[in-house]
Amino acid sequence: MFTGLSFSVGSGASLQVTGANGIGKSSLLRTIAGLVSLTEGELTVEDGDPELTVGEHCHYFGHQNSNKPALTALENLSFWRDFTAPMSKTVFDGSAQAPLAALEMLGIGHTASIPAAYLSAGQGRRLALARLIVTPRPIWLMDEPTSALDTTSEAHLLYLMNLHLKRGGMIITATHTELALSKKQKLHLQAAELA
Amino acid sequence: MAIWDFANPTRFVRLVDRTLPWLVTACVIAFGIGLYKSFFMAPEDYQQGDTVRIMFIHVPAAWLAMMCYSVMALSSLGTLVWKHPLADVSAKAAAPLGAAFTFISLITGSLWGKPMWGTYWVWDARLTSVLVLFIMYLGLMALWRTMEDPIKAGKAAAVLTLVGALNLPIIKFSVDWWNTLHQPASVIRMDGPTIHPDILVPLLVMALAFTLLFFTLHLMAMRNEVMRRRVRAMRLKAAAGPRAASATAAPQPAE
Amino acid sequence: MTGWMGSLFRRELRLAVRVGGSGLVGVLFFLAVVTVIPFGVGPDLNLLARIGPAVLWIGALLATLLGLDRLFQADRDDGALDLILMSGRPTELVVLVKCAAHWVATGLPLVIAAPVLAIFLNLEPVAIGAVTITLLVGTPALTLIGAIGASLTVTLRRGGLLLAVLVIPLAIPVLIFGVSAADAAVNDPVPFLTPFSILCALTLISAVVGPFASAAALRFSSD
Amino acid sequence: MTMNPFDLGPHAGFIIASYVTTFGIVAGLILWVLIDRAKQKSDLADLEAQGIKRSAATSQDPASEETSG
C-alpha cells in the first residue's frame, strides 16, 4: 500500500496526515493501530511498554462512534473505561477522568442516564471522544476527528488534543481541515508514479 | 364520539385513575364469589370428579385468550384505519396479558388432561390451535420489543395482528383437517351433556371475574405505556435540551 | 483480570435483554420449531416420544445458530470490534466471555424451556431430565463452535445463512452424542454415562478450540 | 357430591397445581404492572427534576409527542 514511507513523532508532538481522498490516510492510521498487518517494515514505540504492541499504545478515534444505542451514555463509557487496558503510569501519565467527569467535561453530562439512541450525531461523537480521556494512552490516532462537530465542539476537541500533547502524548490525525495543534508536523501522501 | 374523548393521553390517564378503584373492587368481589362458588357449591362432575374444578379457571382463561386477541385486532384497526392515538397503546398493553392468559389455559388444560387422558398434552385440534395462538402472541411481543420507535412498532404489529386475525380461522381449519387425518385418539369432547347449572353459575361468575381482571390489568398496562412514551419523549428532549446542554457545553473544561 | 471480563459480560447481557436484543427470540423460535414438527409427522404420541430428544436437539441447534450471526457483527458494524482488538485484552478471552454471555442470554433459556417443550412431545420424566441435562452440557459447545462461524462471516453483509452452513457440519458430533445420551437414559443399549462424558469432552474441547480459532479469524477480518 | 372444599379427591395435586400456577401467573402480571408503573414514575420524576418540562405530554397526543423529538 505504501512505499518509502518513514516518519517519527516525538513526545508531545502531533502529525497531520494529508493527501487526496482514497490515498490511504485511513489505512495508515489503521496500520499503526495494528488493525491492518504490515507486509514490510516496522513500527516501534520507543520507551513504550515492551509487553504491548504498538496498537495497544493507541486510542483509535475513527469514523464510527462504537456507541451501543441500547446502553446509556454512562454505561457505554464505563464499559470502555473498564475494558480498555490502561497504560502503566511509568510509560505515560495521561488523563484518566472518571466517566461521569469526562461526560461533564465534554458537555454531555446531562445525557449520562439517557440511552445513546437518543443522542444527536454531535453528542454521539463527543461520547466517543470521551473514551480517549477515561483511559490514558499515549498515542491518539484520529481519523477526521472534526466530522459531525460544530464550531464550539471543534474548539473543545482542539483543547483536549492540545492538553494531551502538553502531557507528552502524541497525536496522529488524518484530516483535510487545518487543526491548530502544537508542535505540528505534516505528512503528505501522494499517489505513486505509475511506471 | 366517546372514544375520541379519550384520545388525549392525559385525560385518559385521569379517567383510568378514577375508574380503577371501582374495577379493582368489582374484580375482587367477583373472584371472591366465584372461588367460593366453585369450591363450596359446585358438585363434582359424575365423570371427571373433582378435576372439574380446574374448568373454573381453564375455561375463563381460554375465553380471555381469544377475547384478548379480539381486543388487539380491534385496536389494530384503530391504529391503521381510524388512527386513534391510544389504539397501539391498547394493542401493546394487551399482548402480554393475552400471552399470560393463553399460557394459563395451556397449563391448566394439561393439568386437567393428565388425570383425564393420562397425558399432559395431546395434539388435539383445540389445544394445538391455542398453542399456535400462544406463539403468535409471543411473536407480537417480540416485534414490539425489537423496534425502538413505538409508532413504527405499533404499525408493524397492527399489520401482523390483523393478518393473524384473518389467518386464525384458516389455521383452525387446517389444524382440524390435520387432526382428523390422524384420527383423534382419546380426546374428551367438551360438547357432552349439557352443563349442570350448579357448574354453569360458578363458571360464569369466574368468567366475569377474569374479564374484570383483564380490563383492570389492561387499563393499568395502558397507563404505564402512556407514561413510558412520555418518558421517552422527555428523554429525547433532555438529550437535545438546549437548557441543560448550554449550561455545561461551553468550552470551559473542568481542568 | 476479572474486572474487564465482568464488565464485558454485563455489557453483553444488557445488550441482549434491552430493546433490540434477541435474547428470548431464540426460545420463541425453539418453541415454533418444536410445535411445527408434529404437524409434519402427525400427532402420534408414541412416535413423538421416540423422536422427541432428537427434535429438541435439532430445535436447540437451529435456535442457537440463528442467534449467533450478531455475536460479532453488531460490534463490527459500529466499529467496536476494532477497539476490542486494540484493547490490549487477549482476544481469545474476549471471545470466551462473549460466548459465555451469549449462552446465558440465549442458550440457557433454551435449556430452561426444554422440559416444557418436552411435555408437548410426550417424553417420559426420565427422558425429560436426560434431554435437559444433555442440552445444558451441550449447548455451550454449539455456541462456542458457532462463534468460529460467526467470526468467519463477520465481514459479510448477510452471513447468517452461510454461518449455519459452515457450522452445522462441525456441530454434528455434539448432536450425535447429545441425542444418544438422551436416548440411552430411556432405552439402555449403552449406559447413559458413555455418550454423556463424550459430550462433556466435546464441550471442553470446543471451549479451547472455539475461542482460538475465532480470535484468529477476527484478527484477519480487520485486514 | 362433596361439599368439603378440602377433600379434592384423588387428583387433588392437579387441582391445587393449576390453581397455584394460575395464581402465580396472575400475581406475576399484577407485579409486572405495578413495578413498571413505579419505574415509569421514578423516571418521570428524575426527568422532571432535571428540569425537563412535560408540556408536550399535557397538550398533545402521543403520536405528535413522538414526532416532535
Side-chain angles (χ1 to χ4, degrees), chain B residues 119-123 128 131-132 134-135 138-139 142 145-148 175 178-179 182, chain C residues 17-21 25 28 31-32 34-35 38-39 41-43 45 48 119-120 122:
Chain B
T119 167
Y120 283 107
W121 184 260
V122 286
W123 290 86
T128 313
L131 180 60
V132 173
F134 182 57
I135 294 176
L138 294 184
R145 273 187 56 81
T146 36
M147 293 177 107
E148 211 271 328
V175 171
W178 165 79
N179 202 250
H182 305 277
Chain C
V17 295
R18 291 207 184 152
V19 175
V25 180
L28 191 48
L31 173 65
V34 171
T35 309
F39 290 118
V41 302
L45 288 180
L48 287 177
I119 290 173
F120 290 135
N122 196 36

Short mmCIF file of all heavy atoms in Angstrom, two decimals, chain B residues 119-123 128 131-132 134-135 138-139 142 145-148 175 178-179 182, chain C residues 17-21 25 28 31-32 34-35 38-39 41-43 45 48 119-120 122:
data_model
loop_
_atom_site.label_atom_id
_atom_site.label_comp_id
_atom_site.label_asym_id
_atom_site.label_seq_id
_atom_site.Cartn_x
_atom_site.Cartn_y
_atom_site.Cartn_z
N THR B 119 -52.22 -38.12 29.87
CA THR B 119 -51.04 -37.45 29.35
C THR B 119 -51.25 -35.95 29.47
O THR B 119 -52.37 -35.47 29.45
CB THR B 119 -50.78 -37.83 27.88
OG1 THR B 119 -49.82 -36.94 27.35
CG2 THR B 119 -52.02 -37.75 27.06
N TYR B 120 -50.12 -35.23 29.61
CA TYR B 120 -50.25 -33.79 29.79
C TYR B 120 -50.66 -33.09 28.49
O TYR B 120 -51.24 -32.03 28.48
CB TYR B 120 -48.91 -33.19 30.25
CG TYR B 120 -48.63 -33.44 31.70
CD1 TYR B 120 -47.67 -34.35 32.09
CD2 TYR B 120 -49.33 -32.76 32.67
CE1 TYR B 120 -47.40 -34.56 33.43
CE2 TYR B 120 -49.07 -32.97 34.01
CZ TYR B 120 -48.11 -33.87 34.38
OH TYR B 120 -47.85 -34.09 35.71
N TRP B 121 -50.33 -33.70 27.40
CA TRP B 121 -50.55 -32.98 26.15
C TRP B 121 -50.96 -33.96 25.06
O TRP B 121 -50.36 -35.03 24.93
CB TRP B 121 -49.26 -32.26 25.71
CG TRP B 121 -49.45 -31.45 24.49
CD1 TRP B 121 -49.11 -31.81 23.22
CD2 TRP B 121 -50.04 -30.16 24.40
NE1 TRP B 121 -49.44 -30.82 22.36
CE2 TRP B 121 -50.02 -29.79 23.05
CE3 TRP B 121 -50.60 -29.27 25.33
CZ2 TRP B 121 -50.53 -28.58 22.59
CZ3 TRP B 121 -51.09 -28.06 24.87
CH2 TRP B 121 -51.05 -27.73 23.54
N VAL B 122 -52.00 -33.64 24.32
CA VAL B 122 -52.29 -34.38 23.10
C VAL B 122 -52.35 -33.35 21.98
O VAL B 122 -52.66 -32.18 22.22
CB VAL B 122 -53.63 -35.14 23.17
CG1 VAL B 122 -53.51 -36.35 24.06
CG2 VAL B 122 -54.74 -34.23 23.63
N TRP B 123 -52.04 -33.80 20.79
CA TRP B 123 -52.06 -32.86 19.66
C TRP B 123 -53.46 -32.79 19.09
O TRP B 123 -53.69 -33.07 17.93
CB TRP B 123 -51.00 -33.23 18.63
CG TRP B 123 -49.65 -32.96 19.17
CD1 TRP B 123 -48.90 -33.80 19.93
CD2 TRP B 123 -48.91 -31.75 19.05
NE1 TRP B 123 -47.74 -33.18 20.29
CE2 TRP B 123 -47.71 -31.93 19.76
CE3 TRP B 123 -49.13 -30.53 18.40
CZ2 TRP B 123 -46.74 -30.93 19.85
CZ3 TRP B 123 -48.16 -29.56 18.49
CH2 TRP B 123 -46.99 -29.75 19.21
N THR B 128 -54.00 -27.55 20.06
CA THR B 128 -52.95 -27.12 19.15
C THR B 128 -53.20 -25.70 18.66
O THR B 128 -52.27 -24.91 18.56
CB THR B 128 -52.88 -28.10 17.98
OG1 THR B 128 -52.89 -29.42 18.50
CG2 THR B 128 -51.64 -27.90 17.18
N LEU B 131 -52.09 -23.37 21.20
CA LEU B 131 -50.63 -23.27 21.22
C LEU B 131 -50.15 -22.33 20.11
O LEU B 131 -49.25 -21.50 20.32
CB LEU B 131 -50.02 -24.66 21.06
CG LEU B 131 -48.51 -24.73 21.07
CD1 LEU B 131 -47.95 -24.20 22.38
CD2 LEU B 131 -48.02 -26.15 20.85
N VAL B 132 -50.76 -22.45 18.94
CA VAL B 132 -50.39 -21.57 17.83
C VAL B 132 -50.70 -20.11 18.20
O VAL B 132 -49.89 -19.20 17.95
CB VAL B 132 -51.12 -21.98 16.54
CG1 VAL B 132 -50.87 -20.97 15.44
CG2 VAL B 132 -50.65 -23.36 16.11
N PHE B 134 -50.68 -18.91 21.15
CA PHE B 134 -49.66 -18.50 22.12
C PHE B 134 -48.40 -18.03 21.40
O PHE B 134 -47.82 -16.99 21.72
CB PHE B 134 -49.37 -19.70 23.03
CG PHE B 134 -48.38 -19.42 24.12
CD1 PHE B 134 -48.59 -18.40 25.03
CD2 PHE B 134 -47.23 -20.18 24.24
CE1 PHE B 134 -47.69 -18.15 26.05
CE2 PHE B 134 -46.32 -19.93 25.25
CZ PHE B 134 -46.55 -18.92 26.15
N ILE B 135 -47.98 -18.82 20.38
CA ILE B 135 -46.78 -18.44 19.64
C ILE B 135 -47.00 -17.10 18.95
O ILE B 135 -46.09 -16.25 18.90
CB ILE B 135 -46.43 -19.54 18.61
CG1 ILE B 135 -46.03 -20.80 19.35
CG2 ILE B 135 -45.31 -19.09 17.70
CD1 ILE B 135 -45.75 -21.97 18.46
N LEU B 138 -46.52 -14.34 21.44
CA LEU B 138 -45.11 -14.12 21.77
C LEU B 138 -44.38 -13.44 20.62
O LEU B 138 -43.54 -12.56 20.82
CB LEU B 138 -44.43 -15.45 22.11
CG LEU B 138 -44.95 -16.12 23.37
CD1 LEU B 138 -44.16 -17.38 23.66
CD2 LEU B 138 -44.86 -15.19 24.56
N GLY B 139 -44.75 -13.84 19.39
CA GLY B 139 -44.13 -13.20 18.23
C GLY B 139 -44.43 -11.71 18.20
O GLY B 139 -43.56 -10.88 17.94
N ALA B 142 -42.39 -9.97 20.73
CA ALA B 142 -41.01 -9.84 20.28
C ALA B 142 -40.89 -8.70 19.28
O ALA B 142 -39.94 -7.92 19.30
CB ALA B 142 -40.53 -11.14 19.66
N ARG B 145 -40.87 -5.50 21.04
CA ARG B 145 -39.63 -5.26 21.78
C ARG B 145 -38.47 -4.86 20.88
O ARG B 145 -37.63 -4.08 21.28
CB ARG B 145 -39.24 -6.54 22.53
CG ARG B 145 -39.87 -6.68 23.88
CD ARG B 145 -39.26 -7.88 24.57
NE ARG B 145 -37.82 -7.75 24.62
CZ ARG B 145 -37.19 -7.01 25.52
NH1 ARG B 145 -37.86 -6.40 26.44
NH2 ARG B 145 -35.89 -6.93 25.51
N THR B 146 -38.43 -5.44 19.68
CA THR B 146 -37.24 -5.22 18.87
C THR B 146 -37.27 -3.89 18.14
O THR B 146 -36.24 -3.45 17.65
CB THR B 146 -37.03 -6.36 17.85
OG1 THR B 146 -38.29 -6.78 17.40
CG2 THR B 146 -36.31 -7.51 18.49
N MET B 147 -38.43 -3.25 18.04
CA MET B 147 -38.46 -1.96 17.35
C MET B 147 -38.46 -0.85 18.38
O MET B 147 -39.29 -0.83 19.28
CB MET B 147 -39.68 -1.88 16.45
CG MET B 147 -39.58 -2.85 15.30
SD MET B 147 -41.04 -2.84 14.28
CE MET B 147 -40.44 -1.99 12.85
N GLU B 148 -37.53 0.06 18.21
CA GLU B 148 -37.32 1.07 19.24
C GLU B 148 -38.40 2.14 19.19
O GLU B 148 -38.91 2.56 20.22
CB GLU B 148 -35.94 1.69 19.05
CG GLU B 148 -35.28 2.14 20.33
CD GLU B 148 -35.64 3.56 20.68
OE1 GLU B 148 -35.84 4.36 19.75
OE2 GLU B 148 -35.76 3.87 21.86
N VAL B 175 -55.72 -27.06 11.09
CA VAL B 175 -55.38 -27.93 12.20
C VAL B 175 -56.46 -29.00 12.39
O VAL B 175 -56.16 -30.17 12.63
CB VAL B 175 -55.18 -27.09 13.48
CG1 VAL B 175 -55.04 -27.98 14.69
CG2 VAL B 175 -53.95 -26.23 13.36
N TRP B 178 -55.86 -31.52 9.70
CA TRP B 178 -54.68 -32.31 10.04
C TRP B 178 -55.03 -33.33 11.12
O TRP B 178 -54.63 -34.48 11.06
CB TRP B 178 -53.60 -31.34 10.53
CG TRP B 178 -52.44 -31.95 11.24
CD1 TRP B 178 -51.37 -32.57 10.66
CD2 TRP B 178 -52.20 -31.97 12.64
NE1 TRP B 178 -50.49 -32.96 11.62
CE2 TRP B 178 -50.97 -32.62 12.84
CE3 TRP B 178 -52.91 -31.50 13.74
CZ2 TRP B 178 -50.43 -32.80 14.11
CZ3 TRP B 178 -52.37 -31.68 14.99
CH2 TRP B 178 -51.15 -32.33 15.17
N ASN B 179 -55.85 -32.87 12.08
CA ASN B 179 -56.17 -33.71 13.19
C ASN B 179 -57.08 -34.87 12.81
O ASN B 179 -56.91 -35.99 13.26
CB ASN B 179 -56.82 -32.86 14.28
CG ASN B 179 -56.69 -33.52 15.62
OD1 ASN B 179 -57.66 -33.98 16.17
ND2 ASN B 179 -55.46 -33.60 16.12
N HIS B 182 -55.39 -37.74 11.20
CA HIS B 182 -54.75 -38.65 12.15
C HIS B 182 -55.74 -39.04 13.23
O HIS B 182 -55.46 -38.89 14.40
CB HIS B 182 -53.53 -37.99 12.79
CG HIS B 182 -52.55 -37.49 11.80
ND1 HIS B 182 -51.60 -38.29 11.22
CD2 HIS B 182 -52.36 -36.27 11.28
CE1 HIS B 182 -50.87 -37.58 10.39
NE2 HIS B 182 -51.31 -36.35 10.40
N VAL C 17 -30.70 -8.17 26.57
CA VAL C 17 -32.06 -8.10 27.11
C VAL C 17 -32.77 -6.79 26.78
O VAL C 17 -33.99 -6.73 26.84
CB VAL C 17 -32.08 -8.31 28.65
CG1 VAL C 17 -31.64 -9.70 28.99
CG2 VAL C 17 -31.22 -7.28 29.35
N ARG C 18 -32.02 -5.74 26.41
CA ARG C 18 -32.70 -4.47 26.17
C ARG C 18 -33.33 -4.43 24.79
O ARG C 18 -33.22 -5.38 24.02
CB ARG C 18 -31.69 -3.33 26.32
CG ARG C 18 -31.29 -3.21 27.76
CD ARG C 18 -30.88 -1.83 28.12
NE ARG C 18 -30.43 -1.85 29.51
CZ ARG C 18 -29.54 -1.02 29.99
NH1 ARG C 18 -29.03 -0.08 29.22
NH2 ARG C 18 -29.18 -1.10 31.25
N VAL C 19 -33.96 -3.29 24.51
CA VAL C 19 -34.63 -3.10 23.21
C VAL C 19 -33.71 -3.52 22.08
O VAL C 19 -32.54 -3.16 22.06
CB VAL C 19 -35.01 -1.62 23.04
CG1 VAL C 19 -35.60 -1.39 21.67
CG2 VAL C 19 -35.97 -1.21 24.12
N GLY C 20 -34.25 -4.28 21.14
CA GLY C 20 -33.44 -4.68 20.01
C GLY C 20 -32.65 -5.94 20.28
O GLY C 20 -32.13 -6.56 19.37
N GLY C 21 -32.57 -6.34 21.56
CA GLY C 21 -31.86 -7.56 21.87
C GLY C 21 -32.67 -8.78 21.45
O GLY C 21 -33.88 -8.71 21.30
N VAL C 25 -35.89 -14.28 21.68
CA VAL C 25 -36.44 -14.68 20.40
C VAL C 25 -36.01 -16.11 20.06
O VAL C 25 -36.75 -16.86 19.44
CB VAL C 25 -36.01 -13.69 19.29
CG1 VAL C 25 -36.59 -14.10 17.96
CG2 VAL C 25 -36.48 -12.29 19.65
N LEU C 28 -38.39 -18.50 21.46
CA LEU C 28 -39.62 -18.47 20.68
C LEU C 28 -39.46 -19.30 19.41
O LEU C 28 -40.35 -20.06 19.02
CB LEU C 28 -39.94 -17.01 20.36
CG LEU C 28 -41.29 -16.69 19.78
CD1 LEU C 28 -42.37 -17.36 20.58
CD2 LEU C 28 -41.48 -15.20 19.78
N LEU C 31 -39.58 -22.91 20.33
CA LEU C 31 -40.97 -23.31 20.53
C LEU C 31 -41.65 -23.53 19.18
O LEU C 31 -42.36 -24.52 18.98
CB LEU C 31 -41.68 -22.22 21.33
CG LEU C 31 -43.19 -22.33 21.51
CD1 LEU C 31 -43.53 -23.56 22.32
CD2 LEU C 31 -43.75 -21.10 22.19
N ALA C 32 -41.41 -22.61 18.24
CA ALA C 32 -42.06 -22.72 16.95
C ALA C 32 -41.61 -23.98 16.21
O ALA C 32 -42.43 -24.69 15.63
CB ALA C 32 -41.76 -21.47 16.12
N VAL C 34 -40.40 -26.77 17.51
CA VAL C 34 -40.92 -27.98 18.16
C VAL C 34 -42.41 -28.13 17.89
O VAL C 34 -42.92 -29.24 17.74
CB VAL C 34 -40.62 -27.92 19.67
CG1 VAL C 34 -41.32 -29.02 20.41
CG2 VAL C 34 -39.13 -28.03 19.89
N THR C 35 -43.13 -27.01 17.79
CA THR C 35 -44.57 -27.09 17.52
C THR C 35 -44.86 -27.56 16.11
O THR C 35 -45.84 -28.25 15.85
CB THR C 35 -45.20 -25.71 17.73
OG1 THR C 35 -44.81 -25.23 18.99
CG2 THR C 35 -46.70 -25.79 17.67
N PRO C 38 -44.78 -31.87 14.90
CA PRO C 38 -45.93 -32.76 14.88
C PRO C 38 -46.87 -32.51 13.71
O PRO C 38 -47.49 -33.44 13.20
CB PRO C 38 -46.63 -32.47 16.21
CG PRO C 38 -45.56 -31.94 17.08
CD PRO C 38 -44.67 -31.16 16.18
N PHE C 39 -46.94 -31.25 13.24
CA PHE C 39 -47.78 -31.00 12.06
C PHE C 39 -47.23 -31.73 10.85
O PHE C 39 -47.96 -32.09 9.94
CB PHE C 39 -47.88 -29.50 11.77
CG PHE C 39 -48.68 -28.76 12.80
CD1 PHE C 39 -48.11 -27.78 13.56
CD2 PHE C 39 -50.02 -29.06 13.00
CE1 PHE C 39 -48.84 -27.10 14.51
CE2 PHE C 39 -50.76 -28.39 13.95
CZ PHE C 39 -50.17 -27.41 14.71
N VAL C 41 -45.14 -34.67 11.10
CA VAL C 41 -45.07 -36.12 11.25
C VAL C 41 -46.36 -36.72 11.79
O VAL C 41 -46.50 -37.93 11.83
CB VAL C 41 -43.90 -36.54 12.15
CG1 VAL C 41 -42.59 -36.03 11.61
CG2 VAL C 41 -44.11 -36.08 13.57
N GLY C 42 -47.29 -35.86 12.22
CA GLY C 42 -48.54 -36.39 12.76
C GLY C 42 -48.50 -36.48 14.27
O GLY C 42 -47.42 -36.54 14.86
N PRO C 43 -49.69 -36.47 14.89
CA PRO C 43 -49.75 -36.36 16.35
C PRO C 43 -49.62 -37.69 17.07
O PRO C 43 -50.15 -37.85 18.17
CB PRO C 43 -51.13 -35.74 16.57
CG PRO C 43 -51.94 -36.25 15.44
CD PRO C 43 -51.01 -36.46 14.27
N LEU C 45 -48.44 -39.97 19.53
CA LEU C 45 -47.67 -39.66 20.74
C LEU C 45 -46.48 -40.61 20.92
O LEU C 45 -45.43 -40.20 21.40
CB LEU C 45 -48.59 -39.72 21.96
CG LEU C 45 -49.57 -38.55 22.05
CD1 LEU C 45 -50.43 -38.69 23.30
CD2 LEU C 45 -48.84 -37.22 22.07
N LEU C 48 -43.81 -39.42 18.59
CA LEU C 48 -43.24 -38.17 19.09
C LEU C 48 -42.30 -38.44 20.27
O LEU C 48 -41.23 -37.85 20.37
CB LEU C 48 -44.34 -37.21 19.50
CG LEU C 48 -45.09 -36.57 18.33
CD1 LEU C 48 -46.22 -35.70 18.84
CD2 LEU C 48 -44.16 -35.76 17.46
N ILE C 119 -42.79 -31.81 27.20
CA ILE C 119 -44.14 -32.30 27.52
C ILE C 119 -44.99 -32.38 26.26
O ILE C 119 -45.74 -33.33 26.05
CB ILE C 119 -44.79 -31.37 28.57
CG1 ILE C 119 -44.07 -31.55 29.90
CG2 ILE C 119 -46.27 -31.69 28.73
CD1 ILE C 119 -44.51 -30.57 30.95
N PHE C 120 -44.83 -31.39 25.38
CA PHE C 120 -45.57 -31.42 24.11
C PHE C 120 -45.23 -32.66 23.31
O PHE C 120 -46.03 -33.15 22.52
CB PHE C 120 -45.24 -30.20 23.26
CG PHE C 120 -45.78 -28.92 23.82
CD1 PHE C 120 -44.99 -27.78 23.88
CD2 PHE C 120 -47.08 -28.84 24.27
CE1 PHE C 120 -45.49 -26.60 24.39
CE2 PHE C 120 -47.58 -27.66 24.79
CZ PHE C 120 -46.78 -26.53 24.85
N ASN C 122 -44.48 -35.51 24.57
CA ASN C 122 -44.86 -36.72 25.30
C ASN C 122 -43.66 -37.51 25.81
O ASN C 122 -43.67 -38.73 25.83
CB ASN C 122 -45.74 -37.61 24.40
CG ASN C 122 -46.45 -38.67 25.20
OD1 ASN C 122 -46.85 -38.41 26.33
ND2 ASN C 122 -46.59 -39.85 24.64
#
